[in-house]
Every structure is written in C-alpha cells, then in structure tokens.
Amino acid sequence: MDESYQSHTDNCFSEKRSQSAARRSKDRRSEVVDRRLGLDRRRGPGKRRSDDRKAAEEGRMTDEQFEFIMTVDQYKKLNNRPFPTWTEVLEIIKALGYRKVAQPSALQKAPTAH
C-alpha cells in the first residue's frame, strides 16, 4: 500500500465537518459585547432587573415601599388580577401586618418630583 494514503477519518472533508460542528455547538451570542458601552449585550436569564428593583437599589425607594410593591405584584400574579380593587389593596396592606393603631390624621400633600 501507498504510505501517502489517508484513512477516511483523516481526510479534509471530515476535518471541515468537525470544525463546522464545533462552531455550531458554541453559543456565539453569549460572547457578544456591546462595544459602545463595554458591557455584555445580554445579561442572561433572570439577570434583568425590574424598574422597581432598580429604583430600590438606586435609593429612590424605601425598603417599605419596595416590599409593598413586590407584595402587590405577587397578589396580582396569584389571583390573575392586573388591577386589584381598593378593597384588595387594603387586604394586601393588612396581609403585610399593617393595623390601625393611631387616631386618623389629616392627609398631607405628596412631595412633587422636579
């Protein structure tokens, strides 16, 4: 036999096929970087923060406000209610442990954002 003979696993077609398979098996999108910001374009599953969470982490919301918003969101999901009624909101507030312990006082004007 001729020594220049290559087996079928060593020929150029099988090499190209294995390289192509290796390229397809990689998740090329996970390596994409947004060059304008120097940040990954995709944060991955479960990594995106909601607007409420961002506001809380940036200090624009108190822990109490954040807890209330998350509890309302949980109630809406559990009960398939996109807009709870005021009665349901009162139930949510009571479920958080709030009770009427002081005499009612006059409402104050909410601060305006500038």
Side-chain angles (χ1 to χ4, degrees):
M1 257 210 245
D2 187 357
E3 293 199 20
S4 65
Y5 170 78
Q6 295 178 338
S7 72
H8 70 282
T9 59
D10 293 335
N11 67 31
C12 64
F13 296 115
S14 64
E15 184 178 329
K16 286 180 183 178
R17 201 174 308 128
S18 65
Q19 289 172 351
S20 176
R23 276 194 306 264
R24 282 191 310 261
S25 67
K26 276 191 188 178
D27 184 12
R28 292 183 297 183
R29 287 182 291 174
S30 66
E31 298 171 4
V32 174
V33 173
D34 188 348
R35 298 197 193 293
R36 293 171 295 177
L37 302 174
L39 303 171
D40 288 339
R41 231 197 278 172
R42 295 185 62 181
R43 297 179 73 162
K47 300 288 186 185
R48 293 191 177 135
R49 297 180 299 170
S50 68
D51 291 337
D52 297 328
R53 183 162 302 279
K54 281 191 272 189
E57 288 176 0
E58 293 169 1
R60 294 180 295 176
M61 190 181 298
T62 66
D63 291 340
E64 192 174 53
Q65 291 168 332
F66 183 69
E67 180 184 20
F68 176 70
I69 288 174
M70 292 295 104
T71 305
V72 170
D73 192 48
Q74 180 184 9
Y75 179 87
K76 292 187 317 185
K77 288 177 184 174
L78 285 173
N79 294 288
N80 200 22
R81 301 280 303 211
F83 306 104
T85 64
W86 287 113
T87 304
E88 293 169 329
V89 171
L90 183 58
E91 289 175 22
I92 293 166
I93 291 170
K94 288 180 177 180
L96 284 170
Y98 290 91
R99 301 289 182 261
K100 191 174 186 180
V101 295
Q103 293 298 318
S105 62
L107 292 175
Q108 297 176 3
K109 186 175 179 180
T112 57
H114 293 275

